Amino acid sequence: DAGITQSPRHKVTETGTPVTLRCHQTENHRYMYWYRQDPGHGLRLIHYSYGVKDTDKGEVSDGYSVSRSKTEDFLLTLESATSSQTSVYFCAISGFQGRDEQFFGPGTRLTVL
Amino acid sequence: AQSVTQLGSHVSVSEGALVLLRCNYSSSVPPYLFWYVQYPNQGLQLLLKYTTGATLVKGINGFEAEFKKSETSFHLTKPSAHMSDAAEYFCATNYGGSQGNLIFGKGTKLSVKP
């Protein structure tokens, strides 16, 4: 298994509070991604990173920000959580954007009350 | 816009029966294609992928898929379903290069009846 961990694995928070999710990899892969998974929508890309301090928006980036200060860590922040951000969040990594498969972490289940 | 369509959000088969999960992509250029499987409360695991070359791709757990450019399809098959195949399956595509982020279908949940 690819060395990807996510923390926390479960979180319950209240509307309006800030939340940070962490993705950590031990594979030294260049590309890292954050997705959210919701019933009936499959996986949707929130943000991705193509190197340290290099990030870009995905399909559903509103309300989310990311940071990557080290190759191994990619943080996803909800500045002010809303109930619509209740979801399961997955981090993924890949060595080459495009032709390479992505390897997924175990996911974080976030509930915003 | 690039897209992936998976026909059937739920598919149910009997143990030992053929599994066929359908995936169609929209593309004007040759795509890269992937099938992932997700077991309950887990992340996604790659089953197989097509990039170039042979159009019949074999993956893990006895699954295979055939890239048919004329039909813009990449259907997933397994000759004989096993109870352990019950999971959700996602088809995904990208077009390589610097814009090569994956685009996922909405998923097909496979149930296997004893």
Side-chain angles (χ1 to χ4, degrees):
Chain A
D1 290 345
I4 311 170
T5 57
Q6 293 185 231
S7 58
R9 293 293 313 280
H10 301 271
K11 186 170 183 66
V12 179
T13 191
E14 302 211 338
T15 298
T17 60
V19 176
T20 296
L21 309 182
R22 179 181 183 239
C23 177
H24 179 78
Q25 61 147 328
T26 58
E27 305 297 320
N28 201 34
H29 279 352
R30 178 180 177 186
Y31 296 93
M32 298 185 75
Y33 309 82
W34 277 108
Y35 293 90
R36 60 178 289 172
Q37 183 179 26
D38 304 289
H41 290 276
L43 274 79
R44 293 180 291 175
L45 182 66
I46 304 171
H47 281 280
Y48 67 99
S49 169
Y50 46 97
V52 174
K53 298 191 188 305
D54 292 324
T55 65
D56 205 348
K57 296 178 179 180
E59 177 188 359
V60 290
S61 59
D62 287 349
Y64 301 95
S65 62
V66 290
S67 65
R68 191 167 177 201
S69 59
K70 297 184 290 184
T71 298
E72 57 266 35
D73 289 325
F74 192 32
L75 304 180
L76 177 71
T77 297
L78 291 65
E79 300 289 347
S80 178
T82 68
S83 58
S84 64
Q85 294 174 311
T86 293
S87 187
V88 181
Y89 292 86
F90 287 99
C91 174
I93 63 174
S94 68
F96 295 93
Q97 192 177 27
R99 65 180 184 274
D100 264 14
E101 62 266 34
Q102 293 180 15
F103 299 97
F104 284 79
T108 294
R109 184 174 296 275
L110 176 67
T111 302
V112 184
L113 302 176
Chain B
Q2 306 160 10
S3 66
V4 173
T5 302
Q6 292 184 238
L7 288 177
S9 57
H10 289 87
V11 170
S12 181
V13 301
S14 298
E15 193 172 19
L18 172 72
V19 175
L20 171 61
L21 304 182
R22 300 178 188 273
C23 173
N24 289 89
Y25 64 91
S26 66
S27 171
S28 59
V29 297
Y32 297 132
L33 293 156
F34 306 82
W35 274 101
Y36 285 87
V37 61
Q38 184 181 32
Y39 299 102
N41 299 313
Q42 293 187 26
L44 277 72
Q45 178 183 0
L46 182 72
L47 271 179
L48 49 81
K49 67 177 181 180
Y50 169 79
T51 53
T52 58
T55 57
L56 182 62
V57 180
K58 295 188 184 300
I60 62 171
N61 301 337
F63 284 93
E64 62 182 35
E66 187 172 10
F67 170 62
K68 291 187 176 180
K69 185 178 178 181
S70 61
E71 299 177 7
T72 61
S73 69
F74 191 57
H75 301 332
L76 182 70
T77 60
K78 182 174 180 177
S80 177
H82 192 271
M83 296 296 290
S84 60
D85 295 327
E88 190 158 20
Y89 293 80
F90 293 92
C91 182
T93 186
N94 64 34
Y95 299 93
S98 62
Q99 300 301 317
N101 291 324
L102 282 178
I103 298 167
F104 284 86
K106 293 185 177 356
T108 298
K109 188 164 289 188
L110 176 67
S111 300
V112 182
K113 299 174 291 187

